[in-house]
Every structure is written in structure tokens, then in C-alpha cells.
Amino acid sequence: MINGMIDLRSDTVTLPTEEMRQAMFEAVVGDDVYGDDATINELEQLAAEKFGKEAGLFVPSGVMSNQLALFTHVQRGEEVILPDNCHIVAHEAGSAAIIAGAQLRSVQNAAGEMPLDIVEKYIRKDPEDIHQPKTALITYENADSDGQVRSVEYMKKVWELAKKYGLPVHVDGARIFNAAAYLGVDVKEMAQYCDSMSVCLSKGLCAPVGSVLVGSREFIALARRKRKILGGGMRQAGILAAAGIVALTKMTERLKEDHENAAYMTERLTEVPGIEVYKERQQISMVFFRLAGFPLDSDGLVKYMLDNGVRINGEDNGIMRYVTHRYVSREEIDKVVELMKKA
Ligand SMILES: *Cc1c(COP(=O)(O)O)cnc(C)c1O
């Protein structure tokens, strides 16, 4: 339950835990623009260590983290190769054009994976040709916004291809801990195949605010300057970082519960007449289905569920998505299934 409702819209709706609230209350803080906030410094160092990188940077949101990565890796007019349905292309309000001034060269992808032969084809090969833009970065998500996980082998292949052409790789790891839990690997194993990674503290990990960007010392120093340009230099923000530390130390292991609950929900939803459940798409905390002869349309279902104490999003491209998280229990999943059967 979240504020009296069952909320399946996203893992972004999660609230800070009691332990987070206590840590926030007690946090030692200072002016982070002067580098004086001990709690921020601790979070940034902790993140760097967890991902096997030299440095970390605390930022207010995942969008800012991705955009800082672009702003730092890419010069105006240079190209970024990325999947055409990724967050940077589809959900960041066109900010790559505004902030980094990047040209996005998007790759069509069926199940979220950019085919590597196309990526290689898209890399600009002739820096002497004054007509050609320069390729500056390859980026992709793990897990992606469709809840699909890229394998470590795929990450390695992208990395090897990028390095063949001397290019950096940024991974949008908003849900990297979900991906790691699904694959049963340490996040370090994944992060070794990128130059920078963005990690969300505020989704399944339940922190109220923030992401961390990790990378080399040099990269993070540049990104810190760019964060100031974006107005992202915060003062006594250790009050937020304190929750982030709890997120990174206490909340990553329990994500597999959310995945198990999503598997349970997937299974139970197959009992509901008039919907088609995409069983094979359930990897992390996301469940996908389609209305196929259901008595209500998408808007009707959203309203019916809301009237019965359940928040859901309507269909996106014809597909419904329910997301599990720390505040969704098995009993609540049962209730949701019963409600849908009753409809
Ligand atoms: C949530 C998310 C982000 C960050 O979005 P915010 O709204 O800034 O938190 C970035 N990339 C992916 C893949 C995401 O799911």
C-alpha cells in the first residue's frame, strides 16, 4: 500500500523506508558545492566502490544523470548511437538536443538489443571527411524501460566494439540492480564494460530522490562542473544522500522479492479472461499484458481499478504494464487479480 492505495504504476512511487527517514534525520551535512557534505561524500565513494569505478556524483534525477553523461562525453553536433526506444530518446523531453547539443543516431531494435552489425555500420569512420559528424558515444539501458535485461556477454560485445573505434560507452543503469538480481551477478561485473553508468536510487531501491553517476576520476570531475552549469549543485543535500546510502547498502538484495512477486502476478493474471499475458517478458519487477476481449478498454480499466483502490497506468502502444515493488504484497496481488476477474 502507498498512502492507502495499491499502486502498480511504477517503482518510482515507492516511499522512503523508516530506516531511511531515520538516517535522513540524523545525517551529518555541509555545503556540498564546497565539498563539505560528509554524507554526500560517503555516498559518492560507496557508489564508486560498488561499481568498481574511481568516482561517483550525486545528482537529483536519472534524467540529469544521463544528460550529464552526454554533456560530458559529447561535443555539440557529435553523434550518440543508442536504441530508438530508450529513455534518452523517448522520455527526456528532447534534452539531449538542448543540453549536450548531441545528434542522436538511433538504432531500431526488436527486443531492446541494438544489433551490433548495425551499431558498427552507424559508427562514422572518416574523421577527415568534413561532411560527416563525429561519433562520440554509444549508450544503451540495462535493464531497459520495457523491463528487459541485457546479458553480461552483450555488454562485453558492445564494449569491445566501442573500444575498437576508441569510443566511450555510457550505460543507463537506472535499474541496474534489478538487472544484476535477474542475472545473478555483481554490478561490478556489468560496470566493467562501460566508461560511465547512471544508477537510480529512487525506484525499486526506495530512496526519495536521486541518482548517482559513476566513472573515472577525470570524467566525474568534468561532470561535476557540468552539473553546476545545469543548476544541479546542491548544498546540504546529505539529507537526501543519507537515504541513498541505505538504498545501496540495504535495499538491493530484496529486489528479488519484487521479481518473485512479478512472476507470481504474471502467473495469476493468466487466470483472468480477456487478457493476453506476455509471460516471457517478465524478467524483473514488470508484468506485461494486452487487453484481448476484456469487457473494459484501457481507460475503463484505469477508472475501474482506481474506484477500487488500485492505481495503474493505461496502455502504452497497446500494452499494459503492472510494476511490483516493496509496497506491493502477495495479498494485494491476489486482490488485483480478483478485481480484474470481477470486471
Ligand atoms: C527512470 C529512468 C530514468 C530516470 O528518470 P527520472 O524520471 O529522472 O528518474 C532513466 N532511464 C531509465 C531507463 C529509467 O527507467
Side-chain angles (χ1 to χ4, degrees):
M1 289 275 219
I2 292 198
N3 302 326
M5 304 282 283
I6 298 174
D7 200 333
L8 306 178
R9 290 173 299 173
S10 176
D11 50 4
T12 57
V13 301
T14 48
L15 305 178
T17 63
E18 281 307 312
E19 189 177 358
M20 285 177 180
R21 288 178 186 271
Q22 193 61 37
M24 293 170 81
F25 180 68
E26 290 168 0
V28 176
V29 296
D31 187 335
D32 182 53
V33 177
Y34 283 113
D36 288 350
D37 193 302
T39 309
I40 298 234
N41 294 341
E42 185 186 335
L43 171 68
E44 291 179 344
Q45 181 156 9
L46 174 69
E49 277 164 18
K50 273 212 173 270
F51 288 89
K53 298 290 181 205
E54 287 174 356
L57 184 68
F58 182 60
V59 292
S61 70
V63 170
M64 190 186 282
S65 187
N66 276 337
Q67 292 303 322
L68 270 182
L70 262 55
F71 202 11
T72 308
H73 285 299
V74 181
Q75 302 299 311
R76 260 178 112 182
E78 291 183 342
E79 279 188 340
V80 179
I81 298 175
L82 73 186
D84 65 354
N85 57 351
C86 73
H87 204 270
I88 291 173
V89 172
H91 301 290
E92 302 193 1
S95 49
I98 300 168
I99 299 166
Q103 173 153 296
L104 300 184
R105 192 133 199 245
S106 60
V107 176
Q108 204 172 14
N109 52 102
E113 237 156 67
M114 296 186 285
L116 294 175
D117 55 332
I118 307 220
V119 173
E120 182 155 23
K121 202 172 95 183
Y122 275 18
I123 295 172
R124 305 286 180 182
K125 310 289 188 313
D126 188 359
E128 301 304 319
D129 180 350
I130 62 163
H131 303 86
Q132 280 191 18
K134 188 171 168 270
T135 305
L137 180 70
I138 298 175
T139 184
Y140 62 93
E141 303 169 341
N142 204 2
D144 66 27
S145 331
D146 296 322
Q148 305 301 291
V149 176
R150 310 275 91 81
S151 68
V152 176
E153 298 76 67
Y154 180 79
M155 298 184 81
K156 181 164 188 267
K157 280 187 190 149
V158 175
W159 172 256
E160 285 168 353
L161 178 61
K163 294 305 141 180
K164 183 174 156 192
Y165 293 94
L167 296 170
V169 176
H170 171 71
V171 171
D172 177 353
R175 295 192 180 87
I176 194 72
F177 284 104
N178 295 88
Y182 173 72
L183 295 172
V185 301
D186 192 284
V187 288
K188 254 187 212 153
E189 235 179 284
M190 310 172 89
Q192 67 179 316
Y193 298 123
C194 66
D195 295 276
S196 60
M197 187 182 278
S198 169
V199 180
C200 208
L201 303 170
S202 152
K203 290 187 168 160
L205 301 184
C206 299
V209 176
S211 281
V212 276
L213 180 64
V214 294
S216 71
R217 205 167 283 116
E218 190 189 15
F219 172 82
I220 292 297
L222 277 171
R224 195 177 289 281
R225 191 180 174 83
K226 305 274 186 177
R227 185 186 66 175
K228 191 70 185 153
I229 293 173
L230 298 187
M234 296 181 287
R235 302 296 180 179
Q236 289 73 20
I239 216 127
L240 302 172
I245 291 170
V246 177
L248 286 183
T249 53
K250 305 282 180 65
M251 303 300 288
T252 60
E253 289 300 314
R254 61 155 305 286
L255 289 174
K256 53 181 180 296
E257 268 173 57
D258 299 342
H259 299 183
E260 284 158 15
N261 281 340
Y264 174 72
M265 189 193 286
T266 300
E267 207 47 54
R268 290 236 42 210
L269 280 175
T270 59
E271 299 165 19
V272 178
I275 69 171
E276 186 189 336
V277 184
Y278 295 101
K279 278 177 133 177
E280 72 292 346
R281 288 201 202 175
Q282 188 276 313
Q283 296 185 341
I284 58 168
S285 53
M286 297 179 183
V287 176
F288 299 91
F289 64 91
R290 183 172 78 84
L291 302 175
F294 198 72
L296 299 169
D297 66 5
S298 168
D299 289 347
L301 180 58
V302 171
K303 182 167 185 316
Y304 165 78
M305 295 299 265
L306 191 62
D307 290 344
N308 287 284
V310 184
R311 289 193 154 118
I312 59 168
N313 281 329
E315 62 190 11
D316 179 19
N317 271 322
I319 298 194
M320 305 285 302
R321 184 188 80 168
Y322 287 176
V323 184
T324 60
H325 48 73
R326 185 175 184 272
Y327 300 90
V328 179
S329 67
R330 288 266 164 139
E331 295 68 42
E332 288 164 8
I333 292 170
D334 289 337
K335 182 180 169 196
V336 165
V337 171
E338 292 315 315
L339 273 173
M340 289 185 62
K341 283 184 177 173
K342 213 170 120 199

